[in-house]
Amino acid sequence: MTNQQLYAKKFAKKAVENGFSSDYIEKCLSYANPLLEKNLPVVYNIHHLSGLVGYNVSYLKRAVKFSKYFYREFEIEKSNGKKRKLHEPLPSLKEIQLWILNEILYKLKVSRYAKAYVPKRSIKEHTIYHTDEPFVLTLDIKNFFNSIHFDSVESLFKSIGYSEKMSNLFTKLCFRENELPQGAPTSPYISNLILKDFDIKVSKYCINNDVKFTRYADDLAFSGNLKADEIKELVTDELFNIGLKLNYKKSKLMRPNQPQLISGIIVNKKAQLPKKVRNSLRNELFFIKKFGLQSHLERTNQEKPNYLKHLKSKINYVLQINPRDEEFVEYRKYLNELKQS
């Protein structure tokens, strides 16, 4: 017995027991079948969703009506020194969003060119693909998350089989005041799904012109014997079709005789972090070994209680990009034996 047949049997039995007509049962099963075929949860209304996520209807209604009060706002520093504003959902709303992510969104395929926010894909996959190429072009999508439209996401839920009301509710639960919040667990994968057709259209051009292409969130990378202006025009047109824009200030064409950087990683001959970053880590390890950890912290006026953990994460990032870097393998081994009081 198939999943659909089993569901139909159980649903019909329960519906009959509760006095529902055969027409109503048929209508419900007609709605359920396309979702079951995609292995997606069948959700009929807000009351049904309430039971599935474990939060009462009044909470769900408040979360979508007064969305800005269900997030905490904070800032993080970007690599260029500027601040990025994030909105993280409060624990209860985050739990609901994680249900939407795991039960619905993760069951939908994104393009193979999307390398960020996809299980079992990483920034290494995004960068290593472009090593040892004559030209590297990087492009950036302007105001990425904030520019993704509510209607586009609502249409996404409709396209996979959910009713107009449920598609609207799912979208509202993923949005904060009509914006896709950077900080919500659902936002990254939603962005990949919205850009799926964009990725495919751009990739067709690249395949026909022997150009390599990957996308890491809002960072686009192209490599090979490419025509930069032609690619920029194509990307601009395709982004316009989905309401997005190219950030021309961040467009960069890199030739063989200069450092070719993709998402902060050098790809000229092999993928690795820039010398400046690696040398900075070397210096820190040198002084820790020479003076000891505590003495180094005092000499540099380092007050971070998680300094050692932060340093280990930097070393691990170097090794994520290049696991065979024996020098940094030794650094990691050394740090693992240290303890910060």
Side-chain angles (χ1 to χ4, degrees):
M1 188 176 287
T2 66
N3 189 30
Q4 290 98 312
Q5 290 170 331
L6 186 62
Y7 180 90
K9 185 178 179 181
K10 287 183 177 179
F11 181 89
K13 182 182 177 183
K14 199 165 185 179
V16 169
E17 288 173 356
N18 284 277
F20 290 104
S21 68
S22 57
D23 285 345
Y24 177 81
I25 294 171
E26 188 177 337
K27 186 179 178 181
C28 288
L29 293 177
S30 178
Y31 170 68
N33 281 331
L35 295 169
L36 293 169
E37 285 174 3
K38 298 182 182 78
N39 195 30
L40 295 170
V42 180
V43 190
Y44 293 104
N45 51 46
I46 192 170
H47 299 278
H48 191 186
L49 179 63
S50 169
L52 291 170
V53 299
Y55 287 90
N56 60 41
V57 172
S58 63
Y59 179 87
L60 295 175
K61 287 182 176 179
R62 289 198 309 275
V64 299
K65 188 174 182 180
F66 308 106
S67 61
K68 73 175 181 179
Y69 300 111
F70 286 76
Y71 290 82
R72 72 178 187 95
E73 184 180 296
F74 62 100
E75 291 182 333
I76 60 170
E77 191 171 310
K78 298 196 287 185
S79 57
N80 59 8
K82 293 182 179 180
K83 300 286 185 179
R84 173 180 283 133
K85 189 177 289 185
L86 299 181
H87 293 98
E88 182 183 27
L90 298 180
S92 295
L93 178 58
K94 190 173 186 177
E95 191 176 346
I96 294 167
Q97 290 176 344
L98 285 170
W99 184 91
I100 294 171
L101 179 65
N102 292 313
E103 298 300 323
I104 299 175
L105 299 176
Y106 273 162
K107 293 177 181 178
L108 308 175
K109 287 185 178 180
V110 299
S111 82
R112 64 190 182 96
Y113 303 96
K115 302 302 180 183
Y117 317 126
V118 183
K120 298 182 180 179
R121 298 186 196 178
S122 68
I123 195 166
K124 181 182 177 181
E125 201 174 326
H126 172 57
T127 55
I128 201 169
Y129 185 54
H130 299 280
T131 55
D132 202 19
E133 290 291 341
F135 296 96
V136 172
L137 173 68
T138 55
L139 303 176
D140 179 84
I141 301 172
K142 192 174 184 179
N143 298 327
F144 187 42
F145 284 144
N146 292 345
S147 298
I148 292 175
H149 296 169
F150 183 96
D151 291 348
S152 299
V153 179
E154 188 177 32
S155 295
L156 170 68
F157 283 109
K158 286 180 188 175
S159 71
I160 58 177
Y162 287 106
S163 67
E164 193 168 324
K165 283 188 177 180
M166 281 313 307
S167 296
N168 182 265
L169 178 59
F170 283 138
T171 306
K172 283 180 177 176
L173 287 168
C174 295
F175 268 66
R176 178 189 179 275
E177 293 197 300
N178 214 35
E179 281 190 355
L180 197 62
Q182 192 166 355
T186 41
S187 297
Y189 205 79
I190 283 174
S191 71
N192 278 335
L193 290 166
I194 294 298
L195 265 71
K196 183 178 179 179
D197 287 343
F198 165 85
D199 290 342
I200 292 169
K201 287 173 183 176
V202 171
S203 70
K204 283 181 180 177
Y205 165 88
C206 292
I207 290 168
N208 291 335
N209 290 275
D210 199 24
V211 172
K212 292 179 179 178
F213 161 63
T214 56
R215 180 177 59 79
Y216 196 82
D218 53 354
D219 294 332
L220 283 66
F222 303 85
S223 63
N225 284 305
L226 49 82
K227 297 176 181 177
D229 289 340
E230 202 168 275
I231 291 173
K232 285 182 192 177
E233 186 178 349
L234 169 70
V235 170
T236 300
D237 290 344
E238 293 302 334
L239 286 176
F240 178 80
N241 290 337
I242 52 175
L244 300 176
K245 293 179 180 179
L246 193 64
N247 188 344
Y248 284 97
K249 291 180 181 178
K250 290 189 177 181
S251 301
K252 193 169 184 182
L253 176 63
M254 292 155 281
R255 294 170 171 79
N257 60 346
Q258 62 184 135
Q260 296 174 331
L261 275 129
I262 297 176
S263 300
I265 296 168
I266 297 282
V267 297
N268 289 64
K269 291 297 179 183
K270 62 180 179 180
Q272 62 180 13
L273 292 178
K275 271 187 180 179
K276 184 179 178 181
V277 176
R278 292 161 59 80
N279 285 339
S280 175
L281 289 170
R282 286 189 181 102
N283 286 340
E284 287 193 74
L285 266 296
F286 173 80
F287 287 113
I288 289 172
K289 286 181 176 182
K290 184 174 181 179
F291 300 108
L293 178 61
Q294 285 307 126
S295 179
H296 171 67
L297 295 175
E298 291 166 10
R299 288 165 63 91
T300 56
N301 296 316
Q302 183 60 251
E303 297 179 352
K304 286 182 181 178
N306 60 346
Y307 168 79
L308 188 57
K309 183 180 178 181
H310 184 63
L311 187 57
K312 283 180 182 179
S313 70
K314 288 182 178 179
I315 300 293
N316 286 332
Y317 185 58
V318 173
L319 292 171
Q320 180 189 348
I321 304 304
N322 183 11
R324 296 181 181 180
D325 193 320
E326 293 181 6
E327 177 188 4
F328 282 84
V329 168
E330 286 302 313
Y331 289 156
R332 181 170 63 185
K333 185 179 177 183
Y334 175 79
L335 289 177
N336 284 337
E337 294 170 357
L338 284 179
K339 289 185 179 179
Q340 183 175 347
S341 61

